[in-house]
Amino acid sequence: MIEVIAGVLILSGAAFTFIAALGLVRLPDIFTRMHASTKAGVLGSSLILIAAGILFGDGGTWARVIAAIFFLLLTAPIAAHMIGRASLDEKHRPRLRK
């Protein structure tokens, strides 16, 4: 049963990571691209890490999983904010729908 749960988490994490990659390719401007990559990318990576924690199951692995998710949640929004600020400084403007 543990393998099934880990497999579902890995597949869903891969799906969210694929959605993040697809958003980088398909979305029109840098602001929507960074939103897609940070939100879906962090969720996908976190699900895959949780699957690894469930599959291996010892305390050391869970400590690494929790630390990695913590750092992803801490650094991804800051990186997206800095990319957005740099884009605005370079005079990039959000593309508006017509």
Side-chain angles (χ1 to χ4, degrees):
M1 188 68 184
I2 291 176
E3 289 86 8
V4 172
I5 294 171
V8 168
L9 286 172
I10 289 172
L11 287 176
S12 60
F16 276 107
T17 306
F18 178 73
I19 290 169
L22 193 62
L24 283 174
V25 174
R26 296 290 299 160
L27 291 173
D29 61 356
I30 193 165
F31 302 104
T32 55
R33 286 178 184 165
M34 76 177 173
H35 179 76
S37 66
T38 55
K39 302 294 183 197
V42 168
L43 180 60
S45 300
S46 298
L47 288 173
I48 293 171
L49 285 167
I50 290 170
I54 289 173
L55 197 58
F56 297 113
D58 61 342
T61 302
W62 275 110
R64 289 184 193 100
V65 165
I66 291 170
I69 291 173
F70 174 74
F71 287 120
L72 280 172
L73 290 172
L74 185 70
T75 58
I78 295 169
H81 179 75
M82 297 307 293
I83 291 170
R85 298 249 328 168
S87 299
L88 283 175
D89 289 345
E90 293 295 319
K91 309 295 186 232
H92 292 281
R93 297 290 171 223
R95 189 179 295 180
L96 301 174
R97 292 185 180 188
K98 293 181 182 183

